[in-house]
Amino acid sequence: MPKYGRVKDSHIKVLEDIVGSEKVSTRPEELYCYSRDSTIFKYRPDVVVRPENSAQVSEILKVANEDRIPVTPRGSGTSAAGLPLPVYGGILLDMSSMNKIELIDVENQIAIVQPGVVCDVLNERLREYGFFFPPDPASSPICTIGGMVNTNASGNRTMKYGPTRNYVLWLEVVLANGKIIHTGSKTLKSVSDYDLTRLFVGSEGSLGVVTKVGLKVVPLPESVGTAIFIFDSVDKLVRAATKVRLSGIVPEMLEFMDRRTTSASFDYAGIKDVPEGNFLLLDLGERREAVEPLLEKVVSICNSENPEFVDKTLDLEYRENLIKARKAALPALSRLRPSTAMEDCTVPLTKLPEAAVKVEKIPEDLGVEGFGLGNFGHIGDGNMHPTFVFDEREEEQRKALFKAIDILYQDIVLPLGGSVTAEHGIGLTRAKYVALEHPSTVGLMRSLKRLFDPNLILNPGKGKGGPLSVEEVGS
Amino acid sequence: MSVYDLESYSEDVQRCMRCGFCKSLCPTYEFVGWESGSPRGRMLLIKGLIDKELEVNEYVADKIYKCVLCGYCLWRCPPGVRTTDAIKACRKFLVDSGFYPRELDDLEEKIEKSHNLYGLPNDSRLKWLDLANLSNEVSVNRKAEVVYFPGCVTSLSSRGRRIAYSSSRILNKMGLNWTLIGEEEWCCGNPLLLAGKLDRLKDIIEHNVEAIRGLEAEVLVTSCAGCYRMFAQEYPKFVGDLGFKVYHISQLIEERLDLKSFMVKDGGKVTYHDPCELGRQAGIYDSPRRILKDIFGSLFVELPKNKALAKCCGGNRVTRIINPEVSRNLALRKLDEARSIGARKIVTACPACVVNLSEGGGEVEVVDLTEVVAEVMGLT
């Protein structure tokens, strides 16, 4: 069985020559810090390298490809799917130093950024021009554009604006052999090539290393308004959200958190004047004169499901705090138990109520003390993030996690016609379900991977083709 | 377990699920670049030490001592990890293990021997009274309702003393029955806590508390953000209920002085820098702002990053000693931020910030809130 090449002192020397010794580390303390993302998994790289430009990335990949050394790109390391974890060690590429916004051209509605640019930082700059890049993951204060491209991230505003792929016009990518390619065109529309741009979007670092991104940017809405509701059951909440969705109103955000998640998130955000319960947040971005009447209308719609609490606001500070609470849902659940594992599933919108009720029962069915659940997500897209809360140091609870994930995807999501990931990527946790969801194309995906990366060096051991690495499949 | 025992933070660092929100405005991550230089990375290093997956060494110490303890990560952390306390506990562990910047021995020695962070004779704490001809107007070591605790930087540094002058004149104007502790005032201990040098901290705390209680004071007032947070938050951890209330002078000014009649109508824009230990870490945002709005009206403008998002100026004593380049860079950035909104003057409410920002130079004037109040009231 062929194996990956090991990182030797001679490789370190070459890497130092490429990026400078201060940008290369084999310190055990750094390797320890880079061995984690937001999952409970731990995989240490052999070396961490922080390139500053695409030429350096190209040189690094040439060296790695030559000696079959695994390369795992990493943005801010916020993945909840193990995407930036170097399963087979090797080189970890910390892309966060490539963080320049190279161009903002609002007349052409284009921004050109390096992959290490943070989403909120880009939007802070775009706001000066009255524009924005709409995909809005909960991790927006820290997640990078490179990470968003590689996961096709979406988040809170997807219902109205769609995911990252809708905004990626072109890419600069370094292939496994070090070749630098450019996909797409520097225009808002083009069909002059196979849609390689979209192939790379969501490819989880498995086909190439993204080193530059051309993004479409759009004008900010003139005005925003927010309505919030507390329901005594998830069922009622889902029904209310469905009624809003079918009313023809298209909110920017239609977000929910179950009772446990709401409690933890409100505690974090210091929200005391909203009662705890199942929380629905509805955010509108419209022309100034349209916001208030539409808010009235959604309140009227949701009132038909008898919420326990209703509030609406045009106050930006209050709105910001509500969104802050929603965005902190995952980490705030760590207030409940020492470990969290966030899943990412989507079901057809009509199946959402059934899925939500079934998901809620998973911990009860498993009956393991200390193992619980908080659920939240983007209800407008049928996208839930069931998050299991537990203590990873307890063997029984750790085993319960993997059983719970199996139940979630195999017994609930896939039978309902859903997908095992909506926006976080396959990564480590969901690799085994790819063939179940895509039995007719998993082989093609594996062939595609080999076409781009014959030595299987790029982010091996996970991803779209299912676990795919030299160690698993041979050469 | 004793206060700041590293083991007592094991559940905190376990609870960190590495969301990374803390990294977004961390002032030192930008300089360090590596993951270990972020708050999330530091929590992992601490976890590694507690779980014995990492060895204690100089590399770890360097990363842990790079933190400026601004508290942004503490405020931002959704899981509620006690990040700043975990750093302090880790520094204590590093000191106990022999891995810490040796410059801190000198700081410790000065505070132990002279009871102030400059190593000066402690009776020179009162020199400012003579320098400002205030000896006849200020009582020292007398029983009083209020004790004013100027702290080391205010009492003993040339720039800081101007804050002592203005503060004492303001307290007189309020008509308070107040006093100074005098040479029995010891450094509040904050620099030692930030340094991880905790051996004598409890003695210092007990000494100061006894000195204040001995004067039968009901209220302790400070003009230093570090002293304020130390008394309000740290002292009770060591000695329980203090038996007196702790105020920052901005709270007293807001409560007791009507400044609207002293409104300044020209002279350019004025902004406010939230000291980390007063704003983000103690929640005092509004009192200084109300005072400044009363005085400057529409001339008062906020910095782009303000209140909880305010960026640290790098002024804490330990950072100034062991990472002076970080202190200077952060000060320069703060002054740039003030310039970006066209501010002529940056007001703050802590002598450490005043000193550090003043050293940044440039055309933006750096003043303490008490100096502004004293000036407009004609108390200078």
Side-chain angles (χ1 to χ4, degrees), chain B residues 300-313:
Chain B
F300 173 71
V301 288
E302 290 283 7
L303 287 167
K305 299 282 184 205
N306 59 68
K307 297 185 180 174
L309 300 179
K311 291 189 174 179
C312 176
C313 76

Side-chain angles (χ1 to χ4, degrees), chain A residues 400-445:
Chain A
L401 170 69
F402 296 105
K403 278 187 200 161
I405 295 173
D406 270 344
I407 294 169
L408 173 68
Y409 294 118
Q410 292 184 173
D411 301 346
I412 300 175
V413 172
L414 291 174
L416 287 173
S419 176
V420 299
T421 179
E423 55 183 12
H424 296 170
I426 292 293
L428 276 172
T429 38
R430 290 175 280 274
K432 65 192 259 199
Y433 309 112
V434 176
L436 295 177
E437 186 178 338
H438 300 288
S440 67
T441 56
V442 69
L444 185 60
M445 285 194 274

Side-chain angles (χ1 to χ4, degrees), chain B residues 47-171:
Chain B
K47 184 171 169 51
L49 291 175
I50 292 173
D51 294 347
K52 302 199 170 18
E53 292 179 334
L54 289 177
E55 284 178 11
V56 56
N57 57 33
E58 280 163 6
Y59 191 87
V60 172
D62 177 64
K63 303 301 178 189
I64 296 295
Y65 276 97
K66 273 283 185 327
C67 171
V68 293
L69 285 162
C70 73
Y72 174 74
C73 50
L74 177 70
W75 174 82
R76 194 69 175 91
C77 180
V81 177
R82 296 173 295 168
T83 54
T84 48
D85 283 358
I87 292 286
K88 291 169 201 162
C90 190
R91 288 183 180 180
K92 175 181 181 294
F93 171 80
L94 290 166
V95 167
D96 293 345
S97 307
F99 293 97
Y100 64 95
R102 292 296 180 233
E103 304 95 302
L104 297 175
D105 286 340
D106 181 52
L107 174 76
E108 183 182 34
E109 191 180 331
K110 282 173 177 164
I111 293 176
E112 273 196 15
K113 287 188 176 162
S114 309
H115 308 304
N116 62 73
L117 54 82
Y118 299 102
L120 295 166
N122 210 36
D123 57 3
S124 55
R125 279 188 183 277
L126 295 171
K127 198 172 165 189
W128 61 270
L129 290 173
D130 291 333
L131 291 171
N133 293 320
L134 282 164
S135 298
N136 295 328
E137 296 174 39
V138 174
S139 82
V140 178
N141 199 24
R142 301 274 169 81
K143 288 183 179 169
E145 286 172 30
V146 177
V147 164
Y148 171 45
F149 190 98
C152 301
V153 180
T154 307
S155 304
L156 294 162
S157 77
S158 56
R159 178 64 188 88
R161 279 175 180 146
R162 282 149 58 186
I163 300 168
Y165 307 159
S166 51
S167 297
S168 55
R169 286 170 175 141
I170 290 168
L171 293 171

Side-chain angles (χ1 to χ4, degrees), chain A residues 22 27 29-30 32 34 36-39 50 74 76 78 124 141-142 268 331 334-335 338-339 392-393, chain B residues 11 14-15 17-21 23-24 33-36 40 44 48 53 57 59 76 78-79 305:
Chain A
E22 72 285 0
R27 290 286 322 186
E29 299 81 8
E30 292 304 336
Y32 186 79
Y34 283 94
R36 305 299 304 268
D37 62 359
S38 290
T39 64
R50 295 169 51 211
R74 170 183 167 115
S76 278
T78 58
E124 205 170 306
I142 187 65
Y268 161 59
S334 278
R335 290 174 177 241
S339 309
E392 70 196 87
R393 297 164 295 185
Chain B
E11 287 306 304
Q14 168 62 36
R15 214 162 49 241
M17 45 67 67
R18 301 163 297 284
C19 67
F21 283 17
K23 279 174 75 175
S24 58
W34 295 97
E35 186 64 36
S36 63
R40 174 177 70 180
L44 266 175
E53 292 179 334
N57 57 33
Y59 191 87
R76 194 69 175 91
K305 299 282 184 205

Side-chain angles (χ1 to χ4, degrees), chain A residues 340-365:
Chain A
T340 54
M342 175 167 64
E343 293 307 316
D344 175 37
C345 57
T346 185
V347 293
L349 291 163
T350 52
K351 303 291 186 189
L352 199 57
E354 186 182 345
V357 171
K358 284 182 172 171
V359 164
E360 205 168 38
K361 283 189 67 196
I362 294 176
E364 191 186 315
D365 290 347

Side-chain angles (χ1 to χ4, degrees), chain B residues 178-321:
Chain B
W178 70 278
T179 189
L180 295 166
I181 300 172
E183 61 186 275
E184 286 306 310
E185 176 186 319
W186 287 6
C187 169
C188 71
N190 199 20
L192 292 179
L193 179 59
L194 302 189
K197 297 263 189 181
L198 269 63
D199 287 350
R200 293 276 330 276
L201 188 58
K202 190 159 189 279
D203 295 342
I204 290 170
I205 289 171
E206 285 174 344
H207 170 88
N208 279 333
V209 169
E210 281 312 308
I212 296 160
R213 283 177 183 161
L215 298 173
E216 296 179 8
E218 292 168 14
V219 168
L220 177 82
V221 59
T222 81
S223 49
C224 170
C227 296
Y228 172 78
R229 202 197 64 78
M230 196 68 191
F231 274 102
Q233 296 179 0
E234 302 292 346
Y235 274 39
K237 290 181 192 171
F238 290 82
V239 295
D241 181 33
L242 301 181
F244 50 84
K245 291 179 183 169
V246 182
Y247 281 82
H248 185 262
I249 196 163
S250 61
Q251 296 173 300
L252 285 187
I253 294 171
E254 187 203 4
E255 263 179 37
R256 290 168 175 265
L257 295 178
D258 180 5
L259 294 163
K260 288 199 175 87
S261 56
F262 299 101
M263 185 177 263
V264 174
K265 295 195 172 65
D266 50 31
K269 290 181 186 172
V270 175
T271 193
Y272 176 67
H273 160 60
D274 289 275
C276 300
E277 293 192 278
L278 192 66
R280 204 161 28 232
Q281 295 186 43
I284 299 178
Y285 300 115
D286 294 338
S287 295
R289 284 178 168 75
R290 289 193 189 114
I291 294 163
L292 291 172
K293 282 175 186 169
D294 280 352
I295 296 172
F296 295 105
S298 61
L299 291 175
F300 173 71
V301 288
E302 290 283 7
L303 287 167
K305 299 282 184 205
N306 59 68
K307 297 185 180 174
L309 300 179
K311 291 189 174 179
C312 176
C313 76
N316 89 53
R317 173 58 51 174
V318 168
T319 301
R320 279 170 59 86
I321 292 171

